[in-house]
Each structure stands twice: as structure tokens, then as C-alpha cells.
């Protein structure tokens, strides 16, 4: 699918907004945080998140990161759980078409910036592409250590025993690690990081990815990053290695046995089907482009 | 008379930031920032552009390029002049101050480490005496830097054990930049 160009008459200047909505002082502050986040892979950099014209939990962190990075020649794709056509994705795409006048697309290949909620596209990313994650809770330790001062200290000391104990307790109780999403990772061997609530299936895509991975948490006011070609290891044990989980079915639309699947209830008699969560990948396969 | 900043402050800063973002994400690769007329001749254009892009009243700034540059920076960025040890950003066209004396952040807030923008004579990626390894580099990258201060690499290497504390370097040669974030290991062929 080709990029869609917005109507210039409805662009930012026409609406009285600065390019990409944020004021320049805010962009500078976020840009400085992004650069330090790339220099210290996996470390959460505090930033002064602003009120955005949509509620927390709808991607305010990701939007602020995208707004600070995006330029007039960029092509933006926005996905929500892999889909280009859900409310959150459509709204954010229209927001940037309007306040930045940028072209938008549903194609993973055509996009220069992809803002995502809870998925990494199935189509492999390439160098120079920027993937912006919307993050609800950036602190991987928060359920184990709710005090921010203490968890900051644990990161400073690289003391991540708590998380290993939690995974161990999962194995004792359930026979396996019971995190199907948001499975914690170690970035470049130093920082424990929340990959945001992506399915564990997507965790291996973080490892040595050629694209730039930026994470923004608006409510929690944290920015972090994984540079390209950075080792990212999902926490596990030698005798309980990490397993990316996938429903044991083929996509009912495109037949893929590789992609991550959504389970859709189709009637009130228990009927259900499994379809690709990544709508662009699924459409490309059905159109025979791969 | 103070010279101009970016002709288009919004898109000028965006383009310069994007060049530095890519340079930081892929250390060792050369990125270019288009120069604009009227900037202080004492600064490499790329360094002038990055100062306009990143510095403001929240970033204590040290520079060694003289009073005319100081006036230009004060007018366009509003960044408070600071001693080298306190500066968040350092614009350095001469011999850099001892790196160990600069802001390195703390273990809990390593992002408080300084960013040192350093003027060099030339930058060439893909070949040369320096070998770079670390996040952002697939395998290893080669880099040739003309006019690198002699002590710099040794001083930088001495800070490596402090990671995540440290400081981040941006080399500026004319319109070209190369970023060397603290996470990168550099070895120099004899």
C-alpha cells in the first residue's frame, strides 16, 4: 500500500499548531533524553512528559517521542496490537497527518517511523527505521519493588535477583515461566528492561534488530531505548530456557504458521478463528506479495 | 551584531537532531548537517547546528571558541555559561579539558553525564585506524579521525569501567558528525 499524503489545507500551520504539536522547548528536552537513552541502552531516563490531547494509556509517551523525532519527509505507520485499523492507531495516524503534515502508510516496509502499541511487526525492520513503543509501565521491577527510590537503586547496582526469584517461583508453581507478555529482558548485559507489553513471541525480535527502538512512557515520565544491533536476552534459566509462545494454529485468512495470532470469537456457540495480529503482514500474504 | 540561527528554527533543529540521533544509534557512521550562512566561523557548522538544536536554559554550557561565539550562543540558546566540570554540553574547538573532571552522572542517574562536542579535522567511515565495537554496531566498525587530540582515547578508555557513568562524544568536522556514546569500545591500531 502506498503512502497517503494529507491535505495541506488541514495541516499544522493551518490549525495554528507548531509542527508536530509539541513546542520546541519540550522537543529539545525529549531529544536530549532520547540521545542519553541510546547512549545507555536499557536505562530509563526521566523526562518532563506533557499533557497531550488524549488520555494517559492511549500512547502519550509514544506520541511525544514520535513528535520529537518526526520530520516532514517521514512516512508514519501506527499499529495497535499489530492492527493499523483500530481506534488508537487510526487516531494517532490522523493526529500526525494533521499536526505534522506527514505522509502515513499501513505498509511496514514503506514506513520510516512506526509507532506501536504492544507488537513488533512481523516484517523484519531495516536500518534507519525507527520503532516507537508506547509503554504503560517502564519499570520491570514495579510489582516486586514498588518504591521508585529502591528500584532505581537496584538498577544502579544491577541487582536483579528479585526478578530471577519471581521467574523461579513461576516455575515452581506453574511448571513454566508464566509471563506470556511483557517478559523482562537484559539489554547489552547491563540493564533489566521492560519490553512493554509485547507478547513473549516478539521478544526475540528485539535482539540485534537493525532498527532504532525507542520507548516512551507518558504517565510514568520515562524514556528508554535499545540501539540497533544490541544484544537483548529474555530472562530465563539454563534448564528452563525462554520459549516464545504462539497459538498452535494457522491464520484462517492467509494461512501463516509463523505469525503471531489473535483468537477471534465469531458467534455465540463457541465458534472461533485465529487470524494474524499483524494486519499489514496478513494482507501482503493474501495479495501474494510474499 | 549577532548572526542568525536556523533560517527555519523548527525544521532546522529537527533535521540536525535526526542526524545526531542516527549518528548515536549507529556509532562510527558519518552523518551530515547542512550549514547555514551567518553562523560563527569559529565553530564547525555541524557543532553550531547541534548547539542550536540541543542547548537551552536547562543546559549549562562550556565553550572555548571565544566571546563572539559566547554572545551568539547566549542569544540563540539562552544556555547559562558554566565551568567545564558543571557543563551539560561542551563545545570544544581546542584541546579538551581532562575528561575525568567533567560531569559523568551517577550510578542512579547516568544520563547526567556530559555531552562533549569536539571539533576534529576530518572524519571518514568504513576505514582507518580506529575499530569500534558495541551497541549500534554489527560486529565492528572502522573509523578514521583526522586531528584527534592525542590523550583523548586513553582518557575515554579510562572512564569505561565506570559504565553506566560516563560522557558521550560527538566529533564534528565541518558539516560531518560521528557520535561515540559511552557504550562503545574503541581500539586503535598502531
Amino acid at each position: 500500500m502506498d503512502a497517503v499524503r494529507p491535505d495541506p489545507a488541514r495541516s499544522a500551520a493551518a490549525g495554528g499548531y507548531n509542527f508536530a504539536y509539541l513546542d520546541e522547548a519540550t522537543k529539545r528536552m525529549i531529544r536530549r533524553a532520547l540521545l542519553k537513552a541510546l547512549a545507555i541502552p536499557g536505562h530509563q531516563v526521566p523526562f518532563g512528559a506533557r499533557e497531550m490531547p488524549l488520555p494517559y494509556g492511549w500512547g502519550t509517551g509514544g506520541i511525544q517521542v514520535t513528535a520529537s523525532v518526526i520530520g516532514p519527509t517521514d512516512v508514519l505507520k501506527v499499529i495497535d496490537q499489530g492492527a493499523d485499523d483500530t481506534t488508537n492507531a487510526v487516531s494517532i495516524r490522523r493526529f500526525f497527518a494533521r499536526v505534522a503534515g506527514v505522509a502515513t502508510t499501513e505498509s511496514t516496509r514503506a514506513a520510516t517511523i512506526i509507532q506501536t502499541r504492544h507488537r513488533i511487526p512481523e516484517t523484519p525492520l531495516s536500518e534507519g527505521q525507527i520503532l516507537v513503543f508506547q509503554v504503560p509501565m517502564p519499570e520491570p521491577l514495579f510489582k516486586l519493588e514498588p518504591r521508585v527510590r529502591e528500584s532505581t537503586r537496584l538498577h544502579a547496582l544491577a541487582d536483579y535477583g528479585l526478578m530471577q526469584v519471581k521467574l523461579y517461583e513461576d516455575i515452581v508453581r506453574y511448571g513454566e515461566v508464566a509471563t506470556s507478555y511483557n517478559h523482562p529482558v537484559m539489554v547489552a548485559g547491563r540493564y533489566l528492561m521492560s519490553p512493554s507489553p509485547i507478547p513473549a513471541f516478539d521478544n526475540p525480535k528485539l535482539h540485534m534488530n537493525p532498527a532504532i527502538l525507542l520507548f516512551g512512557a507518558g504517565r510514568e515520565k520515562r524514556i528508554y531505548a535499545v540501539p540497533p544491533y544490541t544484544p537483548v536476552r529474555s530472562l530465563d534459566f539454563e534448564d528452563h530456557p525462554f520459549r516464545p509462545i504462539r497459538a498452535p494454529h494457522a491464520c484462517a485468512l492467509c494461512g501463516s504458521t509463523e505469525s503471531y495470532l489473535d483468537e477471534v470469537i465469531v458467534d455465540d456457540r463457541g465458534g472461533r478463528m485465529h487470524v494474524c495480529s499483524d494486519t499489514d503482514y496478513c494482507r501482503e500474504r493474501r495479495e501474494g506479495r510474499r | 551584531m549577532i548572526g542568525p540561527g536556523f533560517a527555519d528554527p523548527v525544521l532546522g533543529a529537527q533535521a540536525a537532531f535526526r542526524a545526531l540521533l542516527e549518528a548515536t544509534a549507529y556509532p562510527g557512521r558519518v552523518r551530515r548537517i547542512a550549514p547555514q550562512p551567518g553562523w560563527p566561523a569559529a565553530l564547525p557548522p555541524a557543532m553550531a547546528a547541534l548547539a542550536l538544536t540541543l542547548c537551552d536554559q536547562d543546559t549549562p554550557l562550556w565553550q572555548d571558541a571565544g566571546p563572539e561565539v559566547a554572545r551568539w550562543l547566549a542569544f540563540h540558546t539562552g544556555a547559562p555559561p558554566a565551568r567545564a566540570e558543571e557543563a551539560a554540553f561542551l563545545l570544544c574547538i581546542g584541546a579538551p579539558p581532562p575528561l575525568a573532571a567533567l560531569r559523568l552522572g551517577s550510578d542512579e542517574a547516568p544520563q547526567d553525564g556530559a555531552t562533549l562536542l569536539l571539533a576534529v579535522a576530518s572524519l571518514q567511515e568504513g576505514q582507518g585506524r580506529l575499530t569500534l565495537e558495541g551497541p549500534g554496531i554489527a560486529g565492528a566498525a572502522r573509523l578514521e579521525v583526522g586531528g584527534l587530540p592525542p590523550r583523548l582515547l586513553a582518557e575515554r578508555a579510562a572512564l569505561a569501567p565506570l559504565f553506566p557513568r560516563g560522557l558521550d562524544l560527538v566529533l564534528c568536522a565541518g558539516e560531518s558528525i560521528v557520535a561515540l556514546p559511552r557504550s562503545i569500545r574503541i581500539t586503535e591500531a598502531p
Side-chain angles (χ1 to χ4, degrees):
Chain A
M1 180 173 175
D2 298 327
V4 181
R5 299 250 152 226
D7 176 5
R10 298 200 53 205
S11 69
Y17 290 107
N18 188 25
F19 176 81
Y21 186 78
L22 290 177
D23 60 280
E24 290 302 298
T26 300
K27 285 187 200 168
R28 267 196 302 277
M29 174 265 298
I30 293 173
R31 285 167 179 167
R32 291 193 295 260
L34 285 169
L35 293 170
K36 289 302 177 193
L38 278 170
I40 315 163
H43 169 66
Q44 300 166 51
V45 180
F47 80 110
R50 301 298 192 241
E51 292 269 349
M52 296 302 285
L54 76 173
Y56 288 135
W58 285 70
T60 53
I63 288 176
Q64 291 178 77
V65 170
T66 301
S68 304
V69 169
I70 203 164
T73 57
D74 276 309
V75 180
L76 178 70
K77 170 183 165 81
V78 184
I79 52 173
D80 172 6
Q81 302 271 15
D84 292 278
D85 53 4
T86 55
T87 311
N88 200 201
V90 171
S91 306
I92 293 172
R93 205 160 57 231
R94 275 173 42 189
F95 175 77
F96 280 109
R98 186 160 178 190
V99 301
V102 294
T104 56
T105 184
E106 294 187 6
S107 162
T108 300
R109 287 170 222 279
T112 57
I113 299 175
I114 303 172
Q115 183 170 327
T116 175
R117 174 176 174 270
H118 307 183
R119 271 314 306 276
I120 298 175
E122 306 285 355
T123 307
L125 303 174
S126 52
E127 281 196 2
Q129 284 186 308
I130 298 173
L131 187 59
V132 179
F133 293 77
Q134 302 171 197
V135 182
M137 171 41 80
E139 178 50 70
L141 297 167
F142 90 102
K143 282 190 179 164
L144 308 170
E145 176 48 78
R147 292 167 296 180
V148 173
R149 280 189 70 152
E150 285 302 311
S151 56
T152 306
R153 186 114 196 98
L154 293 175
H155 283 293
L157 298 169
D159 181 353
Y160 299 131
L162 269 179
M163 186 56 88
Q164 291 285 359
V165 170
K166 190 258 179 197
L167 296 182
Y168 169 77
E169 288 181 345
D170 271 6
I171 292 168
V172 171
R173 279 187 203 155
Y174 311 113
E176 60 184 5
V177 173
T179 50
S180 56
Y181 66 96
N182 211 350
H183 186 100
V185 295
M186 284 297 289
V187 179
R190 174 57 179 83
Y191 277 100
L192 184 74
M193 188 190 91
S194 159
S196 83
I198 59 173
F201 175 84
D202 280 344
N203 272 25
K205 297 177 190 162
L206 296 166
H207 178 69
M208 301 303 273
N209 197 309
I212 304 170
L213 312 180
L214 307 176
F215 297 76
R219 180 181 48 216
E220 302 295 326
K221 299 176 171 52
R222 294 288 187 278
I223 280 172
Y224 53 102
V226 176
Y229 306 118
T230 299
V232 178
R233 186 176 66 79
S234 300
L235 278 198
D236 63 357
F237 295 96
E238 275 176 22
D239 53 345
H240 279 87
F242 171 78
R243 287 184 304 119
I245 302 160
R246 179 184 180 279
H249 300 279
C251 172
L253 300 177
C254 76
S256 173
T257 52
E258 324 254 282
S259 68
Y260 190 73
L261 299 176
D262 285 341
E263 186 176 8
V264 183
I265 310 282
V266 292
D267 56 33
D268 57 2
R269 297 185 302 280
R272 58 195 60 201
M273 64 193 280
H274 289 84
V275 295
C276 290
S277 139
D278 185 334
T279 52
D280 172 59
Y281 170 88
C282 194
R283 192 191 58 237
E284 276 203 350
R285 281 178 54 88
R286 277 177 284 141
E287 291 173 357
R289 281 203 248 171
R290 57 171 79 224
Chain B
M1 165 98 179
I2 294 170
F6 283 117
D8 182 333
V10 175
L11 299 185
Q14 190 275 333
F17 166 71
R18 195 62 172 272
L20 181 56
L21 182 80
E22 286 184 17
T24 306
Y26 300 96
R29 295 200 198 168
V30 176
R31 287 288 177 269
R32 288 182 193 289
I33 301 173
Q36 293 188 11
W39 287 352
L43 296 179
M47 189 186 285
L50 292 177
L52 292 175
T53 302
L54 297 172
C55 297
D56 59 21
Q57 65 280 2
D58 293 333
T59 57
L61 177 65
W62 177 92
Q63 57 89 24
D64 63 354
E68 191 197 334
V69 169
R71 278 194 298 276
W72 184 77
L73 289 167
F75 180 78
H76 287 292
T77 70
R83 295 186 298 124
E85 307 86 76
E86 296 166 343
F89 286 90
L90 299 99
L91 310 183
C92 184
I93 59 169
L99 299 191
L102 304 182
R103 263 171 59 169
L104 302 175
S106 62
D107 285 325
E108 296 190 358
Q111 70 273 10
D112 292 344
T115 305
L116 171 60
L117 294 94
L118 181 66
V120 295
S122 65
L123 291 166
Q124 197 160 25
E125 70 178 47
Q127 55 175 312
R129 284 175 302 126
L130 303 187
T131 303
L132 280 49
E133 292 168 285
I137 301 168
R142 302 282 293 279
L143 178 69
E144 183 65 49
V145 183
L148 198 63
R151 302 169 288 111
L152 189 81
L153 289 179
E155 286 189 24
R156 187 183 175 281
L159 301 179
L162 302 178
F163 187 87
R165 297 175 64 215
L167 58 85
D168 306 303
L169 276 171
V170 182
L171 307 179
C172 306
E175 305 164 24
S176 301
I177 57 167
V178 163
L180 299 172
R182 66 190 79 176
S183 53
I184 299 302
R185 290 178 304 284
I186 305 176
T187 47
E188 187 175 18

